[in-house]
Amino acid sequence: LAEGLVRRDRVEAADAVFVFASRVQEDGDPTSDAMSRLLKGVELVAAGHAPRLVVSEVPPPAGAYAPLARAWLSAFAGRGEVVSVGRIRNTRDEAVAVARLFRERGWSRVLAVTSPTHTRRAAATRETEGLKVFSVPSAATRFDLERLHRPGDRRQAFAAIAHERIGLFVYRRRGWLLGGAKHPPGSSP
């Protein structure tokens, strides 16, 4: 079921690294997904692949991602800026907000960092909005996607994979991915 979900592109120079939102605990501590994604994003900025990190925020009661990103970028990379596109509801919201920011600033190339099973849909939503995307999966922290030897890993992987398969289907039907169904004139997505 996971075949074709993980997209890993060559890392190239970009205008920014975008770290997909993941819940931060109310006290500001990252969840395992948030930690993995942010660490990979900071690593890319530290290595000089982009001068800035772009994040989005999950609505309360989740904690804020941008302060954590600023602290980690300062501590681990020693350079770069953090830009937030604000609160989002879903991957589609993120795509629209990130594309708007990139157009406003004259940027076009993005290193998109998210969990491995989310990379296909996440990158496709950015491309649909006209960005040049280089997909960079973060480390899988909840299960070992390459092996799935343990029953607990298989259950967690199945949930993540099913979520993405359904997400791809829904996003195509709504016209939120290139080649998907289009909305009739006057309708909203």
Side-chain angles (χ1 to χ4, degrees):
L1 288 174
E3 189 173 318
L5 283 182
V6 180
R7 176 174 160 179
R8 184 182 314 273
D9 297 330
R10 182 179 64 247
V11 174
E12 293 193 15
D15 298 303
V17 173
F18 176 68
V19 175
F20 284 76
S22 188
R23 190 178 63 81
V24 173
Q25 298 173 37
E26 289 180 67
D27 64 3
D29 289 340
T31 60
S32 63
D33 282 342
M35 185 182 315
S36 178
R37 291 174 184 187
L38 185 54
L39 185 58
K40 179 55 82 172
V42 168
E43 177 186 319
L44 292 167
V45 172
H49 296 292
R52 66 194 53 86
L53 194 63
V54 177
V55 298
S56 58
E57 302 289 350
V58 175
Y65 217 16
L68 181 63
R70 284 185 187 93
W72 284 19
L73 199 58
S74 174
F76 302 129
R79 63 193 184 108
E81 70 172 319
V82 174
V83 179
S84 176
V85 296
R87 290 189 181 145
I88 53 88
R89 292 182 318 243
N90 57 38
T91 301
R92 164 71 173 156
D93 279 357
E94 282 180 311
V96 172
V98 169
R100 183 181 320 113
L101 173 71
F102 272 57
R103 281 190 300 273
E104 288 170 358
R105 302 229 177 153
W107 304 337
S108 61
R109 298 166 60 89
V110 61
L111 289 161
V113 178
T114 192
S115 302
T117 57
H118 185 50
T119 54
R120 177 73 47 201
R121 180 165 55 108
T125 59
R126 300 312 171 279
E127 289 170 336
T128 298
E129 294 298 318
L131 299 179
K132 173 65 177 164
V133 178
F134 303 96
S135 181
V136 183
S138 60
T141 56
R142 292 181 290 141
F143 50 85
D144 183 352
L145 187 61
E146 289 80 26
R147 291 181 184 68
L148 296 176
H149 295 310
R150 299 177 49 230
D153 281 359
R154 289 191 294 274
R155 281 191 302 275
Q156 287 193 7
F158 180 79
I161 291 164
H163 176 87
E164 285 308 315
R165 290 289 176 201
I166 292 167
L168 282 165
F169 174 78
V170 169
Y171 276 41
R172 281 188 191 107
R173 295 272 303 169
R174 292 182 177 172
W176 293 350
L177 300 178
L178 293 175
K182 298 296 177 203
H183 296 286
S187 71
S188 61

